Amino acid sequence: MSSDAAPAADEVRRQAARRRTFAIISHPDAGKTTLTEKFLLYGGALTAGAGSVKAKRDRRATASDWMELERRRGISVTSAVVQFGYRDRVLNLLDTPGHGDFSEDTYRVLAAVDAAVMVLDGAKGIEAQTRKLFEVCRNREIPIVTFINKWDRPARDPLELLDEIEDQLVLDPVPVTWPVGDGDRFSGVIDRRAGHFVRFGRTAGGAAAADEEIVAAARAEAEEGSTWGEAREAIELLDGAGAELDAKRFEAGELSPVFFGSALTNFGVRLLLDAIVDMAPAPAARGDADGDPRPLDSGFSASVFKVQSNMDPAHRDRMAFLRVCSGRFERGMTITCGRTGKTLATKYAHTVVGRDRSTAEDAWPGDVIGLVNAADLRVGDAVHAAGEPVRWTPVPAFAPSSFRLARCTDTSKAKQFRSGVRQLDSEGVVQVLRRPEGGESAPILAAVGPLQFDVAEHRLRHEFGAPVELAPAPWTTARRTDEASAAALRAMSGVTVAARDDGDLLALFESPYWLARLQSDHPDLTLHRLIGEG
Ligand code: G4P
């Protein structure tokens, strides 16, 4: 090893330790966008009044044909990555689409983070999408910090909300802060660790960080009146029940520290950010396909967790998002894709803040870089700078529950259709399944939610010039099978076997009853559940 290798390794470890890479999971409308804005405000990345993320989102919605679909649907289907500094740390917040139909995309983003913030609406508690996203986090053992939002409005009994988290998610909620009052009477939180009261002051339009005053318990009792007494009573109950923080259980995803606040008025945002910095884990060595952890300070390597087309309508380009797993990325370095062995130039690497790009000069474990026009990269790929190729454990595909039979309606556009379908497959817009009899011209498109088909149809037509018909298909349930069982299944009625490009074989069933019957008649068939199946 050369004499300057050691300081470089130290620097990689030091930079990794400064990073926190996380996502926010929530039901639509719980306040994810607002909280993201406030994080940027506290990180100093948003100077003028908050609202830029949202404004950007609205602007973005009219920026291209592709975005037109978002606008018509009134939802956000693209993800963004924001990086901001807070205290002496670097925080990477990977945004996840809020819409239920896009949980496949969300799922991949969650494979690239080290922690998640679960935002609940204090008046609603756990909602359908919260539960689904939480399951994905549980599956990947991602530590979760809970933020109970909108406490400036009338909210449910906080003890009841904790019970709900415990019962419905089987997650141990441990309040770190406790609200004093709710709605108009929400004046601050008790910090259970310090025992003092943090009183919040409003700022006009929530455009600046909330004023915070630390008040000793005795004075708070005198000044806050009955709401203080109620909060203290609840805390005594929690203390009696032994609701204590345990770092190991948090990191294993079994226990969640809980914070109360209001993203709109900035109440509790600082305490939440402090918790992310102080409690959430820094990037750690990632396991490769053989299960061996690849040390953070080994040569540069990264994993592709998202591929997105047309982020910039002026260029009609394609961007691959990579999370750095080890080593230092330097712009201009040549990197190699482990799967294809092909090299890629990184002159045009970007960091991405919303849709605004800035050129990335270097990046460290936990950071996200965007590579423009890295046409051969697919979701799940590993890239590395030098030495032996790297392969990561594959991120399992999500269970599709909707299926369509795709067909190009203009035979002179068959080539465009085939390349369009391959492109959508590699981006993970839809899953593409092929049967021997259907081949490239009649693939099956599979999705978690039907909205993915609208995106696929729109893009095939407008981007690739291939008019398509997506006919309803009879299947509702898929199971992963193997070659031996596939041969047996092909001879049976009521089941179709199709292959994914990644080599997985899926058995498709028209009803769960038929699947259950086949399983009971032929217990030795391999029929594995897929991730995300209820
Ligand atoms: P999302 O990204 O999770 O879908 O939620 P988003 O932040 O867009 O928030 C949804 C609505 O809830 C917004 O209102 C937002 O202002 C409001 N909201 C978010 N956090 C709080 C909070 O702490 N307290 C209160 N009272 N409201 C909150 P909107 O009317 O839909 O949009 P806007 O016109 O206010 O932007």
Side-chain angles (χ1 to χ4, degrees):
M1 196 183 276
S2 71
S3 58
D4 53 338
D10 276 354
E11 182 62 5
V12 172
R13 284 195 298 270
R14 198 182 69 82
Q15 291 287 354
R18 287 178 64 212
R19 261 86 184 153
R20 296 293 180 275
T21 300
F22 69 106
I24 299 178
I25 59 169
S26 63
H27 191 83
D29 260 3
K32 187 179 67 175
T33 311
T34 312
L35 192 60
T36 303
E37 288 166 2
K38 301 315 173 89
F39 282 169
L40 295 179
L41 176 73
Y42 276 70
L46 265 189
T47 42
S52 308
V53 172
K54 194 151 207 165
K56 222 176 265 165
R57 188 172 70 179
D58 294 344
R59 246 199 338 268
R60 190 177 70 192
T62 53
S64 70
D65 301 348
W66 158 232
M67 298 304 161
E68 185 196 314
L69 187 70
E70 279 192 5
R71 190 183 51 73
R72 274 197 279 131
R73 293 285 189 162
I75 55 153
S76 170
V77 291
T78 50
S79 295
V81 182
V82 292
Q83 183 180 68
F84 58 99
Y86 181 72
R87 295 186 359 207
D88 58 343
R89 305 301 163 96
V90 178
L91 275 64
N92 294 306
L93 170 54
L94 278 54
D95 190 17
T96 51
H99 197 279
D101 269 0
F102 284 81
S103 47
E104 226 179 333
D105 201 11
T106 307
Y107 175 69
R108 294 188 205 110
V109 171
L110 291 176
V113 298
D114 302 316
V117 173
M118 175 167 76
V119 179
L120 304 181
D121 180 330
K124 295 185 175 155
I126 310 271
E127 297 175 86
Q129 181 78 345
T130 337
R131 204 171 295 117
K132 201 163 172 181
L133 292 169
F134 170 78
E135 283 310 326
V136 175
C137 291
R138 155 131 317 152
N139 200 279
R140 306 197 68 82
E141 297 178 2
I142 296 171
I144 293 176
V145 178
T146 302
F147 185 68
I148 304 190
N149 190 29
K150 302 198 186 184
W151 213 258
D152 60 306
R153 292 229 295 250
R156 286 171 53 189
D157 175 353
L159 285 170
E160 191 185 297
L161 287 168
L162 297 185
D163 283 346
E164 192 166 290
I165 295 172
E166 194 167 352
D167 293 347
Q168 294 198 16
L169 305 183
V170 197
L171 175 72
D172 212 354
V174 176
V176 177
T177 66
W178 194 260
V180 175
D182 70 344
D184 289 343
R185 297 202 309 162
F186 180 39
S187 57
V189 293
I190 298 176
D191 186 330
R192 280 185 72 210
R193 297 160 298 188
H196 59 220
F197 176 52
V198 183
R199 181 184 281 143
F200 301 128
R202 283 175 194 265
T203 57
D211 289 331
E212 288 182 19
E213 185 190 1
I214 307 292
V215 181
R219 180 153 75 88
E221 184 171 7
E223 291 172 358
E224 294 296 319
S226 63
T227 51
W228 175 265
E230 285 160 24
R232 281 299 328 161
E233 266 174 42
I235 286 184
E236 273 158 33
L237 270 175
L238 293 170
D239 290 347
E244 292 304 326
L245 271 184
D246 175 331
K248 280 216 165 55
R249 293 190 61 220
F250 164 62
E251 289 195 16
E254 296 168 10
L255 171 155
S256 178
V258 178
F259 293 80
F260 290 83
S262 154
L264 196 65
T265 58
N266 303 338
F267 288 12
V269 172
R270 185 185 59 82
L271 285 157
L272 178 62
L273 272 174
D274 284 341
I276 294 165
V277 162
D278 296 332
M279 296 180 192
R286 176 172 172 159
D288 66 15
D290 300 326
D292 298 327
R294 181 176 168 85
L296 289 172
D297 56 10
S298 35
F300 166 75
S301 69
S303 70
V304 179
F305 66 94
K306 183 173 176 59
V307 175
Q308 174 113 45
S309 279
N310 289 347
M311 290 199 61
D312 185 343
H315 296 104
R316 284 216 170 274
D317 57 4
R318 180 162 186 251
M319 190 179 261
F321 291 89
L322 293 81
R323 177 191 154 129
V324 180
C325 300
S326 67
R328 175 190 188 173
F329 170 82
E330 286 170 275
R331 191 163 72 89
M333 79 196 313
T334 300
I335 59 177
T336 307
C337 171
R339 180 177 52 86
T340 61
K342 288 192 184 158
T343 55
L344 295 150
T346 60
K347 196 169 153 205
Y348 300 109
H350 291 281
T351 52
V352 183
V353 177
R355 291 189 74 236
D356 297 338
R357 298 168 182 184
S358 56
T359 309
E361 291 305 332
D362 58 7
W364 305 90
D367 288 345
V368 170
I369 45 181
L371 288 183
V372 183
N373 287 336
D376 291 327
L377 290 183
R378 298 185 58 133
V379 167
D381 273 348
V383 300
H384 64 283
E388 290 292 300
V390 181
R391 285 192 86 90
W392 307 120
T393 320
V395 174
F398 215 82
S401 53
S402 295
F403 302 85
R404 296 284 186 278
L405 292 165
R407 188 177 70 84
C408 184
T409 53
D410 178 347
T411 44
S412 70
K413 298 285 193 306
K415 203 169 146 212
Q416 287 88 333
F417 173 74
R418 283 199 299 271
S419 77
V421 167
R422 273 200 299 274
Q423 172 73 21
L424 298 182
D425 191 16
S426 75
E427 284 180 40
V429 171
V430 283
Q431 294 179 35
V432 178
L433 310 176
R434 294 198 168 83
R435 294 167 294 176
E437 67 273 27
E440 294 249 356
S441 57
I444 299 167
L445 305 189
V448 174
L451 192 52
Q452 285 174 256
F453 297 131
D454 292 0
V455 174
E457 185 180 355
H458 186 90
R459 287 190 51 191
L460 284 169
R461 192 179 295 274
H462 295 281
E463 198 180 320
F464 296 92
V468 287
E469 180 192 75
L470 298 185
W475 309 291
T476 58
T477 310
R479 286 285 185 274
R480 195 170 53 248
T481 185
D482 57 19
E483 287 290 352
S485 292
L489 286 162
R490 284 199 179 97
M492 296 176 189
S493 63
V495 50
T496 297
V497 178
R500 255 189 326 225
D501 207 41
D502 61 8
D504 270 357
L505 288 171
L506 295 192
L508 310 179
F509 299 88
E510 294 178 21
S511 82
Y513 308 105
W514 192 246
L515 164 65
R517 193 166 148 198
L518 270 185
Q519 280 177 310
S520 82
D521 290 353
H522 307 276
D524 40 336
L525 284 175
T526 302
L527 291 167
H528 292 302
R529 272 176 180 280
L530 293 142
I531 304 275
E533 198 133 39

